[in-house]
Amino acid sequence: MVMGKVRCDSRLVRPGDTFVAVPGVKADGINFVPAAIAAGAGEIVAEVVRPESGVPDSILWRTVPNARVELASLACNEFGNPSHKLDIFGITGTNGKTSTTMLLRDILEYNAFKPGFISTNSIEIKPRALKKFNPTEAVDAKVEENTVTSGNTTPGPLNLQYYFSEMLRNSCKTAVMEVSSHALDQNRTWGTRFAVKAFTNLTQDHLDYHCSMAEYYQVKK
């Protein structure tokens, strides 16, 4: 049961929040549980069982099989499952994601739709502006009128669902987004309902992350 907000960054935890300890590529969220507890987290969600000591009895502890999936599920719930109220076009593939999403966005705009837009270059809602993030809500984004710049092709689940909710707030009916292989592998889009899924191509790339072309293909599949 989530009492406050859902967090996966211990630096953003406030009293009563739920902290999801996500195993990362470079660091494991379980190592930041003490910091989350010190900041007042009311619930810890992790892939490991509750330790025998070090966690106050007042803190709830939930053990889950996949923390990334749980984070995405909680993010969908926190923002009211906004993707269920949008027609979302998801574009994946090694090359051509950005150009394809831009072309599709322009086609929708030309036909009097007002699509939300999530790509490597920007996150946009036209003609109205995105609501400015509270600094405690996200540390990797900044607002420039109706465009948000972000560090990832596909945002993390909390930011992603927030952007979808902002699109709804601005009366968008559709959204076009790039979906990277990293995002798919890390379940960032888990729980997002897509109206259309498009695959551009598969060429040799990102093998520093994916162990083989076969694994890369399975993620994109």
Side-chain angles (χ1 to χ4, degrees):
M1 179 181 67
V2 178
M3 296 174 288
K5 291 186 176 294
V6 179
R7 309 289 190 184
C8 59
D9 186 334
S10 61
R11 297 169 295 180
L12 303 181
V13 171
R14 299 293 181 267
D17 286 348
T18 291
F19 176 70
V20 184
V22 175
V25 176
K26 297 181 179 179
D28 193 332
I30 199 67
N31 296 325
F32 299 95
V33 167
I37 292 174
E43 180 183 27
I44 303 296
V45 178
E47 294 180 2
V48 299
V49 298
R50 186 187 190 112
E52 295 182 358
S53 62
V55 179
D57 293 339
S58 59
I59 294 178
L60 298 175
W61 186 288
R62 282 199 299 122
T63 302
V64 297
N66 190 317
R68 289 189 180 278
V69 168
E70 186 66 17
L71 175 63
S73 177
L74 291 172
C76 290
N77 290 334
E78 179 162 310
F79 293 101
N81 290 295
S83 70
H84 292 200
K85 303 162 191 172
L86 291 164
D87 287 330
I88 299 176
F89 298 75
I91 313 298
T92 194
T94 308
N95 305 112
K97 293 189 297 296
T98 300
S99 56
T100 301
T101 54
M102 292 176 70
L103 286 168
L104 183 53
R105 175 200 61 188
D106 291 348
I107 290 169
L108 289 169
E109 288 182 347
Y110 182 80
N111 286 278
F113 290 92
K114 189 179 75 171
F117 180 68
I118 298 175
S119 80
T120 301
N121 297 327
S122 62
I123 299 169
E124 303 173 0
I125 297 176
K126 295 180 179 179
R128 297 174 64 183
L130 286 163
K131 182 180 178 182
K132 188 173 182 179
F133 263 124
N134 183 314
T136 62
E137 298 297 328
V139 295
D140 64 342
K142 61 181 180 179
V143 173
E144 299 174 351
E145 297 180 350
N146 63 355
T147 300
V148 171
T149 56
S150 184
N152 294 319
T153 297
T154 308
L158 288 168
N159 282 6
L160 180 63
Q161 299 305 321
Y162 171 83
Y163 292 135
F164 287 151
S165 69
E166 277 293 283
M167 292 171 190
L168 285 176
R169 188 180 70 85
N170 283 280
S171 302
C172 292
K173 301 296 184 183
T174 62
V176 182
M177 68 175 294
E178 293 186 50
V179 183
S180 69
S181 62
H182 291 67
L184 292 169
D185 184 62
Q186 296 171 9
N187 293 300
R188 296 182 205 165
T189 59
W190 193 96
T192 296
R193 190 177 72 177
F194 291 95
V196 176
K197 302 174 185 177
F199 179 79
T200 57
N201 53 49
L202 183 72
T203 60
Q204 187 167 326
D205 201 358
H206 303 306
L207 297 185
D208 57 328
Y209 180 85
H210 305 289
C211 296
S212 66
M213 284 297 293
E215 180 182 313
Y216 185 28
Y217 167 73
Q218 287 300 321
V219 168
K220 290 286 193 184
K221 187 175 178 181

